[in-house]
Amino acid sequence: MTATGDLILVLDAGTTSTRAMVLAADGRMLAVAQQELTQYYPQPGWVEHDAAEIWERTLACAREAVGQVGGAGRIAGIGITNQRETVVAWDRASGQPLHRALVWQDRRTADFCAGLKNAGQEPVVQAATGLLLDPYFSATKMRWLVDHVPDVAAAAQRGQLALGTVEDWLVHQLTGGAHVTDASNASRTLLLALDGGSWDEGLCDLFGVPRAALGDVVDNAGHFGTSRAEWLGRAIPITGLAGDQQSATVGQGCLAPGQTKATYGTGAFVLANMGSALPRSGHRLLGTVLCQLDGQRQYALEGSVFVAGSLIKWLRDSLGVIASAAESEALARSVEDSGGVTIVPALSGLGAPHWRPEARGVITGMSFASSRAHFARAALEAMAMQTADLAHAFAADGAQWQTLRIDGGMSANDWMAQDLADVLQVPVERPDFVETTALGAAMLAGVGTGLFGSLDEAARAMRGQVRTFAPGTPPGEERRAAWERALAST
Ligand code: ADP
């Protein structure tokens, strides 16, 4: 379809906050509004959001951002990107949530997952979905809602239950009824067959999720409904949808096989474009849909590390070793090495490629000469070491990195960026505009509105300059040896 404006409104419904941004077709960000989200922790290991609050705050941000550019007159389309795997249950008739959303971090279904694993189901599930049997993914959360919330079970009985991820919920609210989920988000549920098509009936049966409650699986760019005029002053088509990590991969311009990005925020998420080849990991990485256009899927191999920037935050807030996150850089530069200190930041277990939830962090090699500068340096060095472990797993699965494109709040640290290049021995590229998640959603929405003919065209128009950190002398072998020893003791 042809656009009736030249701007894109991006809604980024994240875990801790929700944001709205207006981007121009040349990639400039013209407006931004942000609100925090309330986190509910009803029991240890349980994490919930109020779905009504997600909608209300996202709408408030959208109104504020649209107001900053003088109204919705020039908005051609809406792109939505979101925290993945989080599940909302709502009533199709009333449009009201039936329970708080179960957030991706929620571990309440760990026993159910363990039961399926013990029954030998993991290889079957991994072959079909590219994922592992872990409470992280949506399916067991959906099952929990049906089993434990009488209103959810009753809505299912009446044929009025809707189960969906956060982009689906927002599309439903914006349009007043649509129930669609894009292939990138759907590929995080454990219910989508990775090799094509829609929901897998066998997987719905295995996890006990009513197939009728799920939305239609759609492309990442297209026309997914129109927001009601009352919300933003004008009816606007919704033309782009993607899970946050896939959106960042698109925003980093990783559009060809082999191109890889790493986002360093609270945790670190690495995704490598695998083209149209179905990713099969023998090293406990995840296979996921990167993007679906005109029904054709491009895939990604994904590795997530649980602790990245949160280690720096912990050094600052819990130990008081540093005054600010940015100070870690000056401290790391002030010493020649970590003075023998090694930190393995397994503070909440180890993610890919280890998947050891029971592991806990260790600090080794301390002496009376150890200073806070050595701790800061060891903390930053741990980022490159964790990433190198992922790089080996990716290479073993056939995805050798030629360069690594980085983003996220922690990527502002130049010392860390250079250390990554030195350790990985590949160029590390950081875009000047680090809002890659929003940029990816804007690129997809721009393709959906017809502003751009393809994602390549959108990338050429919207992506700005990058700074490259060239690989220098690799660190000595003793650093890797110390890391391996410390890792073995977690
Ligand atoms: P998220 O999106 O996961 O909330 P962000 O992408 O905003 O996270 O990144 C914030 C994280 O990055 C924080 O955990 C913070 O400790 C870390 N961080 C921010 N700036 C720096 C810096 N200059 N050096 C090291 N870590 C940093």
Side-chain angles (χ1 to χ4, degrees):
M1 66 170 283
T2 324
T4 55
D6 58 346
L7 306 181
I8 299 292
L9 171 64
V10 173
L11 308 180
D12 179 357
T15 307
T16 55
S17 71
T18 191
R19 303 200 295 161
M21 284 151 279
V22 177
L23 276 82
D26 62 3
R28 274 175 309 136
M29 190 158 77
L30 305 181
V32 58
Q34 176 164 0
Q35 291 196 18
E36 299 298 309
L37 272 186
T38 313
Q39 312 288 318
Y40 296 91
Y41 304 104
Q43 290 188 30
W46 293 27
V47 189
E48 298 179 350
H49 285 162
D50 177 350
E53 184 189 275
I54 294 178
W55 159 239
E56 283 153 19
R57 299 207 168 163
T58 303
L59 177 62
C61 289
R63 285 181 164 150
E64 190 183 329
V66 164
Q68 287 174 29
V69 295
R74 286 174 60 197
I75 310 282
I78 299 175
I80 301 177
T81 181
N82 58 293
Q83 49 162 321
R84 306 175 302 173
E85 297 100 9
T86 297
V87 174
V88 184
W90 70 92
D91 185 307
R92 286 178 199 248
S94 69
Q96 293 303 309
L98 294 165
H99 190 269
R100 285 208 201 113
L102 305 196
V103 178
W104 58 273
Q105 296 142 316
D106 193 297
R107 313 294 299 172
R108 77 185 65 183
T109 56
D111 287 348
F112 183 52
C113 290
L116 288 172
K117 229 188 244 184
N118 292 338
Q121 294 290 353
E122 188 161 76
V124 183
V125 169
Q126 190 187 15
T129 67
L131 308 178
L132 300 168
L133 276 174
D134 192 277
Y136 175 28
F137 306 109
S138 315
T140 60
K141 295 179 157 76
M142 293 176 172
R143 164 70 179 263
W144 189 92
L145 287 164
V146 174
D147 279 356
H148 293 86
V149 183
D151 285 352
V152 172
Q157 283 290 327
R158 293 195 306 275
Q160 282 175 350
L161 175 65
L163 291 168
T165 38
V166 171
E167 87 298 352
D168 188 350
W169 167 242
L170 290 176
V171 172
H172 181 271
Q173 295 304 101
L174 282 166
T175 58
H179 186 17
V180 295
T181 181
D182 72 271
S184 77
N185 272 296
S187 75
R188 312 297 296 180
T189 58
L190 284 169
L191 301 173
L192 186 81
L194 203 55
D195 62 359
S198 182
W199 306 114
D200 183 298
E201 301 280 351
L203 291 169
C204 289
D205 288 347
L206 178 71
F207 289 103
V209 172
R211 163 75 181 80
L214 301 171
D216 294 334
V217 180
V218 296
D219 281 357
N220 291 92
H223 193 291
F224 311 118
T226 303
S227 77
R228 288 160 57 167
E230 69 190 271
W231 301 135
L232 298 166
R234 187 169 84 77
I236 307 171
I238 301 165
T239 55
L241 302 173
D244 54 8
Q245 295 307 323
Q246 284 92 338
S247 195
T249 309
V250 170
Q252 281 275 23
C254 296
L255 303 175
Q259 292 177 327
T260 305
K261 73 92 197 177
T263 299
Y264 295 90
T266 305
F269 292 89
V270 181
L271 273 81
N273 183 319
M274 302 299 282
S276 53
L278 208 59
R280 297 259 175 243
S281 177
H283 302 85
R284 299 187 75 71
L285 300 173
L286 305 175
T288 209
V289 174
L290 171 57
C291 184
Q292 178 179 308
L293 296 176
D294 297 324
Q296 301 298 309
R297 288 182 187 165
Q298 277 210 320
Y299 297 99
L301 207 54
E302 174 171 331
S304 18
V305 165
F306 297 145
V307 177
S310 52
L311 177 68
I312 303 299
K313 192 168 161 356
W314 177 75
L315 287 179
R316 185 192 66 190
D317 299 344
S318 298
L319 298 194
V321 167
I322 53 175
S324 68
E327 195 200 2
S328 64
E329 176 164 351
L331 283 171
R333 284 187 197 284
S334 73
V335 285
E336 256 178 30
D337 53 36
S338 71
V341 177
T342 300
I343 302 180
V344 180
L347 280 79
S348 53
L350 284 169
H354 314 285
W355 294 100
R356 282 173 38 214
E358 73 293 347
R360 287 297 172 264
V362 294
I363 303 178
T364 61
M366 286 180 284
S367 73
F368 283 117
S370 306
S371 68
R372 66 193 195 96
H374 293 125
F375 279 98
R377 177 131 173 173
L380 292 179
E381 285 185 349
M383 301 304 135
M385 303 318 283
Q386 297 192 109
T387 309
D389 287 349
L390 281 180
H392 291 134
F394 274 78
D397 278 339
Q400 184 94 39
W401 305 345
Q402 303 302 325
T403 60
L404 185 65
R405 302 178 180 192
I406 63 168
D407 54 57
M410 200 182 187
S411 72
N413 191 309
D414 288 354
W415 188 88
M416 186 194 82
Q418 185 59 52
D419 191 49
L420 274 170
D422 296 347
V423 169
L424 299 171
Q425 286 294 294
V426 298
V428 168
E429 295 179 357
R430 184 181 66 200
D432 291 346
F433 181 66
V434 290
E435 299 283 359
T436 53
T437 307
L439 186 59
M443 286 164 58
L444 289 163
V447 170
T449 60
L451 273 177
F452 304 113
S454 66
L455 280 178
D456 285 312
E457 194 187 320
R460 279 194 297 277
M462 297 190 87
R463 291 188 73 235
Q465 300 292 312
V466 298
R467 171 168 173 193
T468 301
F469 296 85
T473 315
E477 270 308 305
E478 62 280 10
R479 181 166 153 196
R480 167 139 292 275
W483 171 258
E484 297 285 354
R485 278 196 307 275
L487 196 58
S489 67
T490 55

